[in-house]
């Protein structure tokens, strides 16, 4: 889906003065998807990928059921390997997929972690579209500098400030890294979740340390120590 279409969806869905709503895969996916049959000759499949400027395509049966995925790399002849003639012979059958109602940020993180360019979108087992990294650009189009500022500002607004906390935020390709310290052990997870909730953040590497165990744990230890004297 074009970035202009995504931007229009955001403007229409956002109330004046409100925040951008969470988008889902169905809002940006390419549908219908370019698909291939397992019987498609490998050479013809390569031509289809080249014509549509895509790196891969879902492989489906006559009913639209997902059978696998074939990529450019699958179609390149390998030295010392007997040439395989059809898509069904070279496709990958163990395939990650996305659902149309999944949050886009969740799928985006999965693409980054698995180093995938795209995922088939399935309803049940039938392919209804494809979501690719480029589909995320219109939604998560924020520079690393902007992300560092946004995450830092949000954490400050949520009272993660000295002396109880000192958090240093960095970003590389949308992946936020948190260094420094917070007050309680539970604050480590909370700060990481808050950073992950900022629009444009693809993933969070949480290196935060804590200064003290959770208050509840300290109370339990105190109670145990007093029982020892009874």
């Amino acid at each position: 889906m074009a970035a202009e279409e995504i931007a229009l969806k955001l403007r229409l869905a956002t109330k004046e003065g409100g925040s951008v709503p969470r988008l889902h895969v169905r809002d940006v996916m390419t549908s219908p998807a370019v698909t291939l049959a397992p019987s498609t000759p490998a050479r013809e499949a390569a031509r289809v990928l080249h014509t549509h400027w895509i790196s891969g395509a879902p492989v489906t049966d006559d009913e639209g059921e997902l059978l696998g995925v074939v990529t450019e790399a699958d179609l390149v002849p390998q030295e010392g390997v007997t040439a395989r003639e059809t898509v069904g012979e070279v496709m990958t059958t163990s395939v990650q997929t996305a659902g149309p109602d999944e949050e886009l940020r969740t799928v985006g993180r999965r693409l980054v972690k698995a180093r995938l360019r795209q995922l088939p979108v399935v309803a049940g087992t039938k392919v209804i579209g494809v979501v690719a990294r480029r589909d995320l650009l219109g939604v998560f189009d924020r520079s690393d500098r902007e992300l560092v500022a946004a995450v830092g500002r949000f954490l400050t607004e949520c009272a993660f400030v000295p002396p109880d906390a000192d958090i240093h935020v960095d970003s590389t390709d949308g992946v936020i890294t948190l260094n420094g310290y917070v007050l309680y052990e539970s604050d480590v997870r909370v700060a990481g979740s808050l950073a992950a909730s900022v629009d444009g953040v693809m993933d969070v590497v949480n290196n935060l340390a804590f200064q003290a165990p959770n208050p509840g744990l300290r109370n339990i230890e105190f109670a145990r120590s007093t029982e020892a004297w009874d």
Side-chain angles (χ1 to χ4, degrees), residues 88-168:
E89 294 177 278
V90 300
M91 70 181 183
T92 299
T93 56
S94 179
V95 181
Q96 292 192 48
T97 63
D101 296 319
E102 282 191 81
E103 280 196 9
L104 198 58
R105 63 169 57 246
T106 302
V107 173
R109 289 169 186 156
R110 197 153 75 242
L111 284 167
V112 170
K113 284 186 175 181
R115 297 183 178 181
L116 298 172
R117 293 186 180 182
Q118 61 182 23
L119 290 173
V121 182
V122 297
T125 56
K126 291 191 176 183
V127 176
I128 61 171
V130 168
V131 61
R133 285 195 182 196
R134 64 176 178 272
D135 296 324
L136 307 177
L137 296 180
V139 180
F140 299 138
D141 187 17
R142 303 179 82 171
S143 69
D144 286 321
R145 178 177 295 183
E146 290 173 323
L147 286 175
V148 167
V151 171
R153 183 169 56 250
F154 191 29
L155 291 174
T156 297
E157 291 172 354
C158 294
F160 282 98
V161 294
D164 292 340
D166 187 10
I167 301 177
H168 302 278

Side-chain angles (χ1 to χ4, degrees), residues 185-200:
E185 184 176 1
S186 59
D187 291 336
V188 173
R189 181 176 56 81
V190 171
S193 296
L194 291 172
S197 72
V198 174
D199 284 321

Side-chain angles (χ1 to χ4, degrees), residues 26-123:
R26 68 168 65 254
D27 295 315
V28 303
M29 70 181 185
T30 299
S31 182
V34 175
T35 62
L36 296 166
S39 59
T40 303
R43 181 170 295 184
E44 172 64 14
R47 187 193 66 78
V48 170
L49 297 187
H50 178 73
T51 300
H52 290 275
W53 290 87
I54 53 179
S55 60
V59 182
T60 62
D61 63 15
D62 293 338
E63 302 299 322
E65 303 276 336
L66 180 65
L67 300 176
V69 165
V70 67
T71 68
E72 294 170 320
D74 297 324
L75 298 171
V76 175
Q78 299 180 35
E79 187 176 351
V81 177
T82 303
R84 289 172 287 184
E85 301 296 327
T86 67
V87 166
E89 294 177 278
V90 300
M91 70 181 183
T92 299
T93 56
S94 179
V95 181
Q96 292 192 48
T97 63
D101 296 319
E102 282 191 81
E103 280 196 9
L104 198 58
R105 63 169 57 246
T106 302
V107 173
R109 289 169 186 156
R110 197 153 75 242
L111 284 167
V112 170
K113 284 186 175 181
R115 297 183 178 181
L116 298 172
R117 293 186 180 182
Q118 61 182 23
L119 290 173
V121 182
V122 297

